[in-house]
Amino acid sequence: MIITRDKYLAEIMRFKDTEFIKVITGVRRAGKSSLMAMYREHLKALGVADEHIVYINFENLEAIKLRDKQPLIDYLLANSDKATKMYYLFDEIQFVEEWEDVINGLRVTFDADITVTGSNAKLLSGEIATLLSGRYVAFEILPLSFKEFLQFKQLDSQDYRHYPKWFAEYRRYGGFPAVVLAEEQSKEIILSGILDTVLLHDVGYRAEIKDTEVLMAINRYLMFNAGQIISMANISNTLTSARVKTTIPTINRYLGMLVNAYLFSAANRYDLRGKQYLRAQPKYYPIDTGLRNITLGKSGDNQGSELEGIVYNELKRRGYSVDVGQLANGKEIDFVARKMEEILYVQVTQEIPVASDRETDNLIRVPGNYDKLLITGVQSLPDSIDGIPVRNVYEWLLDD
């Protein structure tokens, strides 16, 4: 049974029958293929005939022979009709060499609606930017939100009494659909499989990394220090202390690969006074708390950092670009979230410290009259502190 993710499907449908190629990206097992299947079924429900839909999953055994450019072109020419609208759905397109040429050729040759998926951010760089400039729209699919988590488990989102228990499960195991729907005893096994596939296949194999020890060590370092200020030198020193030999250029290269595989997102640091991005190293947030906990072999530690990651990913789901705000004297705003003309400043804390105004004080220092919000992990809260709205994380995550 396919459980629809209506928000993403609606975004795809907005660009149905337009000139724009729809590029669906995101971490492996986040639901890209399921979204493609939803779109395919929706097309059929709208009356599109099967013979006018060409669907290929390039990870399937039957499609291996189509990973070369010319056999794929021959197949498409033999299964396309110039006299009608054709719908092309290509899953994991990055397996095809010179796939950009094929997609551009389809766009020029046929009356085509084209949708592709891929598990690497490089899908949107390089030649595609030249060949398809201004002709594609990109959608990043993230693991399930807390609201989707409740929907997939068929739980009543209005049953406030169970929020702490449900959120504890979401926090521990994350939002990968296969993990959410699995039995308790299978969740960690599935998470380990996802992590190994991303690290060893999507990163290690494709980059031809023969010794993955450094890659695994960097992943563990980033998971442990999620949301913290890091430096190449600190990573290098930590790995050297653990007798893992590497170099700073190698660390920097592997960091880029982990971000390209959507295992982490990088939040750049932005000077709120000078209104410019800083050259300092960004903060890194895991795409899913389940992957963090399966990497570290524990949960419950550093809950504030983990909560930050959940809020960061939810802001991205809601269409914000998210940076870390830098104030004077080393003070920070956890997140500066921008969407069109809207700017939202967010502080995140597991609990509001007793006799401390640090969280709200930072927000008060923000220049300009912009929306501000304090999100906490506890339930009993005042509505505001020093004029700053305060929201419990459960309520905020379930907002429309």
Side-chain angles (χ1 to χ4, degrees):
M1 179 182 68
I2 297 176
I3 303 175
T4 61
R5 299 182 73 178
D6 295 332
K7 171 182 174 292
Y8 290 121
L9 183 58
E11 291 177 356
I12 297 296
M13 287 301 299
R14 283 173 52 206
F15 292 93
K16 174 182 174 291
D17 295 337
T18 71
E19 66 170 328
F20 295 102
I21 296 161
K22 297 171 287 297
V23 181
I24 304 170
T25 63
V27 68
R28 181 178 289 270
R29 301 294 297 276
K32 299 184 299 298
S33 296
S34 295
L35 180 59
M36 186 78 89
M38 293 175 207
Y39 185 51
R40 184 184 186 185
E41 293 305 311
H42 202 69
L43 291 174
K44 292 180 179 180
L46 293 174
V48 179
D50 282 343
E51 59 267 27
H52 298 154
I53 303 174
V54 177
Y55 169 76
I56 304 174
N57 184 340
F58 290 101
E59 284 194 307
N60 283 348
L61 189 63
E62 300 90 341
I64 290 178
K65 62 189 177 197
L66 300 178
R67 292 182 181 180
D68 292 329
K69 178 179 176 180
Q70 194 55 51
L72 177 58
I73 291 174
D74 294 340
Y75 176 85
L76 294 173
L77 288 173
N79 289 275
S80 300
D81 184 355
K82 284 189 176 183
T84 190
K85 185 82 174 184
M86 294 296 302
Y87 294 83
Y88 298 100
L89 286 69
F90 300 134
D91 221 348
E92 300 296 349
I93 190 70
Q94 74 276 354
F95 283 105
V96 179
E97 292 188 16
E98 301 181 59
W99 66 268
E100 301 95 334
D101 287 333
V102 178
I103 297 300
N104 193 49
L106 283 177
R107 182 187 65 79
V108 173
T109 306
F110 296 98
D111 181 8
D113 180 288
I114 304 172
T115 308
V116 304
T117 77
S119 301
N120 195 291
K122 284 190 174 180
L123 201 70
L124 301 177
S125 64
E127 193 171 353
I128 186 175
T130 301
L131 286 177
L132 307 178
S133 178
R135 297 189 181 94
Y136 71 88
V137 288
F139 308 92
E140 181 184 351
I141 306 301
L142 281 80
L144 302 179
S145 67
F146 184 51
K147 182 183 288 187
E148 289 176 319
F149 168 88
L150 298 182
Q151 176 194 356
F152 271 51
K153 292 179 71 69
Q154 299 182 334
L155 300 172
D156 181 6
S157 63
Q158 302 301 314
D159 191 349
Y160 307 106
R161 299 168 301 165
H162 293 97
Y163 280 180
K165 179 180 71 173
W166 294 340
F167 187 68
E169 179 182 344
Y170 178 70
R171 193 168 184 162
R172 178 177 179 182
Y173 295 114
F176 283 99
V179 176
V180 170
L181 296 175
E183 298 293 330
E184 178 81 15
Q185 61 269 25
S186 302
K187 292 181 184 295
E188 291 188 1
I189 297 173
I190 298 172
L191 276 169
S192 293
I194 294 172
L195 181 63
D196 286 347
T197 302
V198 174
L199 285 175
L200 302 179
H201 185 272
D202 293 349
V203 178
Y205 175 76
R206 291 181 189 170
E208 299 182 345
I209 298 173
K210 295 180 180 179
D211 183 0
T212 58
E213 182 182 17
V214 175
L215 180 66
M216 304 286 277
I218 293 173
N219 170 69
R220 184 175 181 83
Y221 182 93
L222 292 183
M223 291 292 188
F224 185 80
N225 293 283
Q228 304 300 312
I229 297 174
I230 66 170
S231 71
M232 298 296 104
N234 286 344
I235 299 177
S236 179
N237 291 338
T238 301
L239 268 57
T240 299
S241 298
R243 297 183 179 179
V244 178
K245 294 182 179 179
T246 187
T247 64
I248 287 180
T250 296
I251 293 171
N252 198 42
R253 176 171 169 254
Y254 285 8
L255 276 175
M257 291 178 181
L258 291 170
V259 171
N260 282 338
Y262 295 100
L263 197 55
F264 295 90
S265 289
N268 293 314
R269 302 174 72 187
Y270 185 78
D271 183 352
L272 295 174
R273 298 285 179 179
K275 298 184 184 289
Q276 61 182 349
Y277 284 98
L278 301 172
R279 297 181 64 182
Q281 190 73 21
K283 291 186 176 184
Y284 292 90
Y285 291 95
I287 199 68
D288 183 78
T289 54
L291 293 181
R292 179 178 185 269
N293 289 327
I294 205 67
T295 297
L296 302 178
K298 56 187 175 181
S299 60
D301 289 358
N302 200 352
Q303 292 190 350
S305 176
E306 194 170 75
L307 195 66
E308 270 189 46
I310 291 173
V311 172
Y312 173 82
N313 286 320
E314 181 64 20
L315 287 168
K316 287 184 60 183
R317 281 190 195 92
R318 298 183 183 189
Y320 291 98
S321 62
V322 188
D323 301 311
V324 175
Q326 185 75 51
L327 292 166
N329 300 322
K331 293 183 179 294
E332 286 187 343
I333 299 297
D334 287 332
F335 301 124
V336 182
R338 297 180 176 89
K339 182 164 55 177
M340 302 296 287
E341 301 300 319
E342 178 186 356
I343 300 179
L344 173 65
Y345 294 97
V346 181
Q347 284 289 96
V348 184
T349 181
Q350 177 62 29
E351 297 182 5
I352 300 175
V354 177
S356 172
D357 60 359
R358 182 180 68 85
E359 303 295 342
T360 53
D361 186 55
N362 286 1
L363 286 170
I364 291 171
R365 290 172 181 268
V366 173
N369 186 25
Y370 296 104
D371 290 336
K372 301 166 186 176
L373 180 63
L374 176 59
I375 297 175
T376 85
V378 295
Q379 287 183 288
S380 299
L381 299 167
D383 292 335
S384 66
I385 299 176
D386 297 327
I388 306 295
V390 181
R391 297 295 306 277
N392 167 262
V393 67
Y394 315 137
E395 297 173 356
W396 180 76
L397 289 171
L398 294 174
D399 278 347
D400 289 328

